[in-house]
Amino acid sequence: MKVNKWFLPIAGIILLFGVIGLAQITGYWVTNQRAESSTSSVSTTPTSPADGSADITITGQTTLRQIIDATGIPLATLLAEAGLPADTDPEATLRSLKDLVPGFEPSSVRDAVARLTSR
């Protein structure tokens, strides 16, 4: 039996793109993390609708706007509690603030959120 010389290269290409497509469909191949909604840098789960408290995960990619939207903490209060200047851009990520504000550490925002949400 004679096989066409193009069969194996074409089959290999189809197999390669088939595996990539399947991995993307199942979520194992992500080329842009922001496009995937389940990997949000801030996730909230209200523990009680009455008190509005929430569990929040804050990473270096989290913006101040995401934190205040998720927790309901006023921006001015969060900035004061975290030791940030009042004119800080709410769209700035914690990682970028580390480079912009001398002595700033993202953990100070995490601690401030913990203190403010436990009240």
Side-chain angles (χ1 to χ4, degrees), residues 3-111:
V3 178
N4 188 333
K5 67 179 181 179
W6 293 105
F7 176 75
L8 194 55
I10 291 173
I13 291 171
I14 290 171
L15 180 64
L16 172 71
F17 287 111
V19 168
I20 292 172
L22 182 64
Q24 287 178 337
I25 289 170
T26 58
Y28 288 108
W29 184 304
V30 179
T31 57
N32 185 358
Q33 188 173 3
R34 292 182 189 268
E36 187 178 349
S37 62
S38 66
T39 59
S40 172
S41 59
V42 177
S43 60
T44 60
T45 307
T47 54
S48 168
D51 66 3
S53 60
D55 294 330
I56 184 168
T57 302
I58 301 173
T59 67
Q61 294 176 339
T62 308
T63 65
L64 294 173
R65 172 79 55 211
Q66 290 172 320
I67 295 170
I68 62 176
D69 288 346
T71 61
I73 298 171
L75 178 61
T77 305
L78 179 61
L79 293 176
E81 190 74 24
L84 290 166
D87 63 344
T88 303
D89 179 19
E91 301 303 324
T93 63
L94 297 184
R95 183 176 298 141
S96 67
L97 288 174
K98 184 176 180 179
D99 298 333
L100 296 174
V101 179
F104 172 75
E105 288 295 325
S107 61
S108 64
V109 173
R110 290 184 196 105
D111 296 342

